[in-house]
Amino acid sequence: DYKSGNKQFDLTEFYNGLSMQLITYLEVAINYVKEELKRDDIKPLGAYYLHVYRPKRKFEEATETDLLKKYKYEGLFITQLEAKENSYVFPLRKNKDGQLGIVSQSKNKFYTNDEMKQLFDINHRNMQQAGNTIYEGKLEINPSLHNNKRACQTCPFKSICQFDALLPENRYRIIEKAVRDEILTKED
C-alpha cells in the first residue's frame, strides 16, 4: 500500500476495525493467486506500506544504498522472511555472530503463518460486524479516541456530521490498547 506519510501497522486500530486495509489487500492477493493462477503453494512475505515521497537529496548524487534506506517497508512481515545479507528495506540485520535475524526493535512486526490466519479471521469478523451494523441502520455518530488521537481531528466531514462532544448523545468510542498475545490466543 503506497502512503504519502509514514504509516505503520497498528494492531489496536486493526483489531478494532479502524485500519483493515493492509490485511484485506494481502488476503485478496493470496486468494487471487490461488484461484486465478491455480496455485496452492503461496507463501507471502507480508504486507507493507511504502512511504512515497521525493527525497531531498538529488537523485544523481545519491547512491543506490542511500535510496534504498529512504524507502524502508513498514507493515506486517512473515517470520519466514529470509535474506542473505543485511537489508536496507526489510528489518533484517546480521548480529555480532554473523547470523542474520530480525532487528530487535521490529520483532512486534513479525507474524507466523498461523498468526496471519488469525488476523484474517479477525478481519472477516470486523467486516461482518460493519456490514450488519449498516444493514440494521445503526448509524450513530461515534468517532474513535485512541492514543489521544480523535478521529474528528483529521476528518473532512466534521461540518456534515456535526459531532459535538459536549452533547450527551455524542460520545467518543474509546479504543483500548490491544495486547497481541491476548488477541492471537483469544481467536483460536
Side-chain angles (χ1 to χ4, degrees):
D1 191 7
Y2 299 102
K3 296 292 181 192
S4 59
N6 284 322
K7 176 81 173 145
Q8 295 190 10
F9 180 74
D10 184 319
L11 186 62
T12 297
E13 288 182 7
F14 165 74
Y15 184 73
N16 287 281
L18 302 175
S19 182
M20 301 176 353
Q21 191 172 5
L22 196 62
I23 296 289
T24 302
Y25 285 167
L26 178 60
E27 188 173 20
V28 167
I30 291 168
N31 289 338
Y32 174 81
V33 172
K34 284 182 177 180
E35 292 172 18
E36 297 298 320
L37 303 179
K38 310 293 187 231
R39 299 279 310 265
D40 282 330
D41 59 341
I42 306 308
K43 295 182 182 179
L45 299 177
Y48 316 114
Y49 295 112
L50 178 62
H51 182 193
V52 179
Y53 68 106
R54 184 184 308 229
K56 293 178 183 171
R57 185 173 221 170
K58 290 186 179 176
F59 185 77
E60 299 80 28
E61 297 172 5
T63 66
E64 183 178 351
T65 301
D66 291 335
L67 292 172
L68 287 172
K69 286 180 180 178
K70 296 282 185 191
Y71 292 100
K72 291 182 180 179
Y73 287 112
E74 287 294 337
L76 301 151
F77 301 90
I78 303 297
T79 52
Q80 289 82 3
L81 186 64
E82 294 179 12
K84 295 179 181 170
E85 57 189 46
N86 287 346
S87 175
Y88 295 111
V89 293
F90 294 109
L92 298 171
R93 298 277 182 275
K94 286 185 181 178
N95 63 19
K96 59 186 172 195
D97 300 328
Q99 297 287 83
L100 196 65
I102 299 168
V103 174
S104 60
Q105 307 92 290
S106 298
K107 287 189 185 298
N108 65 335
K109 298 177 184 179
F110 281 80
Y111 294 82
T112 66
N113 285 320
D114 288 339
E115 289 171 331
M116 286 302 300
K117 288 176 187 166
Q118 289 182 34
L119 292 177
F120 292 150
D121 290 343
I122 293 168
N123 203 35
H124 293 169
R125 183 200 67 213
N126 285 343
M127 284 190 222
Q128 185 71 45
Q129 284 177 338
N132 289 341
T133 300
I134 292 168
Y135 183 76
E136 293 166 3
K138 296 179 183 174
L139 303 173
E140 293 91 15
I141 301 170
N142 65 345
S144 63
L145 175 61
H146 168 57
N147 281 341
N148 293 325
K149 180 179 149 191
R150 290 171 170 79
C152 294
Q153 288 172 315
T154 57
C155 180
F157 304 108
K158 280 197 284 192
S159 62
I160 296 170
C161 82
Q162 298 187 6
F163 177 82
D164 184 346
L166 298 177
L167 297 174
E169 64 271 15
N170 289 172
R171 292 286 169 244
Y172 283 104
R173 184 168 34 112
I174 309 297
I175 304 297
E176 299 294 329
K177 181 168 177 50
V179 178
R180 179 180 173 153
D181 292 340
E182 292 173 12
I183 290 170
L184 296 178
T185 55
K186 184 184 345 179
E187 296 297 322
D188 284 338

